[in-house]
Amino acid sequence: MKIFHLLDFRVTKMSTILHQLLDYIYKESRKRRKEQKENEFWVTDIIGCRIKAILSRKYPEVSALIGVSSRPMLGILAHKAIEYLVNVEKVINAESEKEAKLEVEVNGKKYYIVARPDILCNDADLVLDLKTALDIKGPVYSHYLQLWLYSLIFSKRKASIFYVTSLGGKWEEPVTWQKVITALIETKLVSNEEIATVFGIKDPNKLEEELSKQIPSDKIWETEEQREIWLSILKLYFSKWLQTEGPIWEWECNYCPYVNSFCLSPYKRVSQK
């Protein structure tokens, strides 16, 4: 009988730990959203649906509850482990979850884009981000934009994503200026012509050809002048994002906790299964 008492004790302890963990994740997620100011947007907000960003601020309990479901929770735990290893154990010369804000003025109003990358290298010109998922199929353009924003806000010329999937896959994907341009065009908020114009390239068809002469293929930008140009493109993108009334990506609504109960956008897109 002792073995059953021991198992009951272990199950009870694990259950207590799990409940405390879920409670911590829920409260921290809700607290961050409640502290967010009206003119502040997280990097992860502006690479997706603006309506979701607004609803996440208005009803933070909903998105916080999604965070404690199994798959999102694994990602949160992985990020907490990175934060501990980097900031406490000092396994590498870097900082984790360091926060910075970029001021962007649109039509006379000041906004702040808040960035908190997973790993900001101190001894390398590099910012890193970890992504966990069941599986990754093809390029995820929103991830490219996320690292692009980190690169600009923290003045790091290089950026990389580390993917870890539940199916055992893991690899590093550098985010380059070519991928950023592709991602921006995919949003349909910024055109190839507009990007070429800001870079001072007369023929949009020669955008990549001309930029390949100026920016190394493994970087997002090389000179401070190029970073300033990218910041101008960011302002253009952000000003258009502020006017959107629906999702940027076709898949967004399928993963949105607000789509069926709170979202009144006529542009929402939910796949019929």
Side-chain angles (χ1 to χ4, degrees):
M1 294 295 292
K2 287 184 178 181
I3 185 66
F4 293 108
H5 287 302
L6 180 60
L7 287 173
D8 287 341
F9 173 78
R10 288 179 176 175
V11 169
T12 301
K13 283 294 182 183
M14 286 303 298
S15 178
T16 301
I17 292 171
L18 181 58
H19 285 143
Q20 289 178 344
L21 176 63
L22 294 175
D23 188 56
Y24 167 77
I25 293 173
Y26 172 78
K27 287 180 178 178
E28 185 175 277
S29 176
R30 185 181 63 175
K31 178 174 177 287
R32 279 201 70 205
R33 277 297 182 188
K34 281 184 173 293
E35 291 175 348
Q36 193 176 11
K37 297 177 181 178
E38 183 186 355
N39 64 339
E40 285 184 354
F41 290 100
W42 298 349
V43 162
T44 48
D45 288 335
I46 71 169
I47 59 173
C49 178
R50 187 182 68 87
I51 304 302
K52 180 185 176 183
I54 293 171
L55 291 174
S56 294
R57 187 180 305 171
K58 191 173 182 179
Y59 306 107
E61 293 80 8
V62 176
S63 57
L65 281 172
I66 296 299
V68 297
S69 60
S70 58
R71 281 167 58 183
M73 185 175 67
L74 290 175
I76 292 171
L77 290 176
H79 285 83
K80 285 298 175 185
I82 288 175
E83 188 176 355
Y84 174 79
L85 290 170
V86 173
N87 292 344
V88 180
E89 293 294 331
K90 307 290 185 182
V91 294
I92 57 174
N93 184 11
E95 296 172 272
S96 179
E97 298 292 327
K98 181 179 180 179
E99 184 172 294
K101 297 180 182 180
L102 176 70
E103 181 182 300
V104 180
E105 187 171 326
V106 179
N107 296 327
K109 183 175 180 179
K110 291 182 179 179
Y111 296 90
Y112 295 90
I113 300 173
V114 184
R116 291 178 65 178
D118 290 340
I119 299 176
L120 192 68
C121 297
N122 292 326
D123 55 357
D125 199 7
L126 179 67
V127 60
L128 303 171
D129 204 61
L130 173 72
K131 298 294 183 186
T132 57
L134 179 63
D135 195 14
I136 301 290
K137 296 179 181 178
V140 184
Y141 297 118
S142 59
H143 294 173
Y144 297 163
L145 295 182
Q146 184 178 353
L147 270 293
W148 169 59
L149 289 161
Y150 290 158
S151 164
L152 298 179
I153 293 172
F154 286 96
S155 293
K156 295 292 185 181
R157 292 172 174 83
K158 291 185 178 182
S160 261
I161 306 170
F162 281 93
Y163 286 107
V164 179
T165 73
S166 303
L167 301 178
K170 53 183 182 294
W171 67 94
E172 177 185 1
E173 182 172 1
V175 178
T176 63
W177 61 265
Q178 299 98 322
K179 292 176 182 177
V180 171
I181 288 175
T182 301
L184 284 169
I185 294 171
E186 286 291 326
T187 67
K188 296 180 174 60
L189 296 181
V190 182
S191 69
N192 189 69
E193 290 76 15
E194 288 172 319
I195 296 172
T197 298
V198 180
F199 267 102
I201 297 170
K202 294 182 179 180
D203 186 354
N205 295 320
K206 293 185 177 181
L207 174 62
E208 293 203 14
E209 179 185 336
E210 292 299 321
L211 286 185
S212 64
K213 300 174 185 177
Q214 305 173 32
I215 310 175
S217 59
D218 62 339
K219 295 181 179 180
I220 294 176
W221 53 277
E222 176 66 17
T223 67
E224 281 298 325
E225 182 183 0
Q226 290 165 356
R227 177 174 174 269
E228 289 298 324
I229 292 172
W230 274 126
L231 286 171
S232 297
I233 293 171
L234 165 57
K235 181 179 178 180
L236 174 64
Y237 168 86
F238 182 65
S239 65
K240 292 188 177 183
W241 179 83
L242 287 172
Q243 301 173 42
T244 59
E245 295 294 338
I248 292 178
W249 315 105
E250 290 185 2
W251 48 264
E252 278 190 88
C253 294
N254 292 322
Y255 298 93
C256 179
Y258 302 98
V259 68
N260 293 318
S261 303
F262 297 91
C263 181
L264 301 177
S265 171
Y267 303 104
K268 61 184 180 182
R269 296 173 285 191
V270 181
S271 299
Q272 300 296 323
K273 296 183 178 180

